[in-house]
Amino acid sequence: MKRIVWLSVAALIAAILFYVSRFWSFSLWPRSGLFGIEELRPQGGLVGQWLRGTDFAPFELLIWAVGAFLVLTVLQKLYDRLNPPPE
């Protein structure tokens, strides 16, 4: 049961990271945004939107990759802390 919960958490985090990236191509909710929040637009690409007009805009993919790596590292550390190896 614990494994199913952790796999669900990992799948949810992966979907969120995919949505924040520029590679999201699905339009699953209306243009008004998810739950009426305009910042959560249906076409994804939030990192590019956040960086638009800044000096960091050309580095969007690199920033997304580093952020995704850090999120997954923290998730792995949390998993290791909550599930110690058997002795």
Side-chain angles (χ1 to χ4, degrees):
M1 182 65 177
K2 208 186 262 191
R3 181 173 285 186
I4 292 173
V5 170
W6 279 107
L7 284 173
S8 299
V9 168
L12 179 66
I13 296 295
I16 290 170
L17 289 174
F18 186 56
Y19 170 67
V20 171
S21 77
R22 67 165 76 169
F23 305 112
W24 183 268
S25 60
F26 309 109
S27 185
L28 302 177
W29 48 86
R31 288 210 169 274
S32 61
L34 184 62
F35 306 120
I37 303 171
E38 292 181 15
E39 288 78 20
L40 297 177
R41 58 193 193 144
Q43 47 285 43
L46 296 182
V47 175
Q49 182 181 355
W50 295 332
L51 295 176
R52 193 167 293 129
T54 67
D55 293 337
F56 300 110
F59 306 106
E60 169 200 350
L61 186 59
L62 181 63
I63 291 170
W64 176 84
V66 169
F69 178 78
L70 290 175
V71 166
L72 293 175
T73 300
V74 168
L75 186 63
Q76 180 66 45
K77 293 291 183 186
L78 181 64
Y79 177 81
D80 290 343
R81 181 169 289 234
L82 294 176
N83 295 313
E87 302 211 9

